Amino acid sequence: MNCKGLIHIYFGNGKGKTTAAIGLSVRCAGGGGKVLFCQFLKDGLSGEINALKKVDGIKIIDGYEKIKFIKYMTEEEKKAAEIFYKNQFNDIVNIVNKEEFDLLVLDEIIDALNIGFLDLDEVLRFLENRPIGLEVALTGRKPDSRLFDIADYVSDVLKIKHPFDKGIGSRKMIEK
Ligand code: ATP
Ligand code: MG
């Protein structure tokens, strides 16, 4: 890509945010692009990771194997997760500044920010100073309005129905 990359946000409480970011990654790689696909708040075992690893042009930085729901974490575990994610974010910044990528996906980063595992000012600073040509996609539930301000595409994935409301948990191959 030879123009300035744009910023995408997929947010909201409906299903399809991560799936959209995976779709964008596949399209970019299929078009000859280089993708850095990164997940926060996931353990690296979601089905898409296995599939994306096989795609030429996609490099993966996946999750934190010890991740569990925040409500079940002790203060110590929260601190350890925060250190892990802050390091992971620094690694991502270093990689995209060193190596040329066309697309960077930061899946679930919005939730990692809201929990306090990452610092919003730091993420905004990175987005403002991202390498020319780097397209960035962020996903998560409820973005801070400062993320809206900096984004070029903002897609609200609205839940009309979700089987979770009927007590159906996330299913392998469909949600994970
Ligand atoms: P997908 O990965 O299928 O594209 P998504 O990225 O839009 O979905 P997330 O908000 O990241 O959805 O949801 C991650 C997990 O949380 C999924 O396994 C999903 O089943 C579950 N989930 C989704 N909506 C809710 C909800 N309203 N309450 C509780 N859990 C939910
Ligand atoms: Mg998601």
Side-chain angles (χ1 to χ4, degrees):
M1 255 173 253
N2 46 19
C3 58
K4 191 167 166 54
L6 302 182
I7 297 183
H8 307 232
I9 294 181
Y10 300 114
F11 81 104
N13 62 355
K15 174 174 168 60
K17 303 172 291 289
T18 296
T19 324
I22 295 164
L24 189 62
S25 302
V26 169
R27 176 177 289 160
C28 180
K34 266 184 73 183
V35 180
L36 185 62
F37 185 90
C38 312
Q39 288 191 322
F40 297 86
L41 307 183
K42 288 187 175 168
D43 58 11
L45 301 175
S46 298
E48 65 268 21
I49 298 296
N50 283 337
L52 292 177
K53 273 183 182 160
K54 296 178 193 159
V55 180
D56 282 345
I58 301 185
K59 184 182 168 101
I60 312 274
I61 295 192
D62 56 15
Y64 179 53
E65 61 190 19
K66 284 178 259 172
I67 195 69
K68 48 177 156 172
F69 284 116
I70 185 86
K71 62 182 174 189
Y72 300 126
M73 281 188 181
T74 63
E75 285 310 308
E76 236 167 63
E77 287 171 330
K78 281 185 208 166
K79 193 69 214 166
E82 182 185 337
I83 291 168
F84 177 90
Y85 287 119
K86 287 196 164 145
N87 284 333
Q88 176 168 302
F89 186 73
N90 283 339
D91 290 345
I92 292 165
V93 172
N94 289 333
I95 292 170
V96 297
N97 281 321
K98 212 163 64 187
E99 218 180 304
E100 208 173 295
F101 283 92
D102 298 287
L103 171 66
L104 169 65
V105 171
L106 300 169
D107 185 35
E108 316 301 347
I109 194 172
I110 290 164
D111 293 40
L113 282 164
N114 289 340
I115 290 169
F117 286 162
L118 292 175
D119 182 62
L120 180 61
D121 286 325
E122 236 176 82
V123 172
L124 286 167
R125 209 165 28 245
F126 162 71
L127 292 171
E128 277 158 12
N129 299 304
R130 69 192 181 281
I132 290 171
L134 181 67
E135 197 95 1
V136 185
L138 302 88
T139 83
R141 296 280 173 94
K142 274 193 190 166
D144 187 279
S145 62
R146 289 199 285 161
L147 286 169
F148 285 157
D149 293 342
I150 201 174
D152 301 286
Y153 299 78
V154 178
S155 301
D156 182 354
V157 180
L158 175 69
K159 182 195 80 167
I160 304 296
K161 292 178 81 172
H162 194 294
F164 190 87
D165 296 336
K166 292 192 280 197
I168 299 174
S170 59
R171 293 171 303 145
K172 186 88 187 151
M173 298 186 282
I174 306 298
E175 271 105 14
K176 62 185 179 187

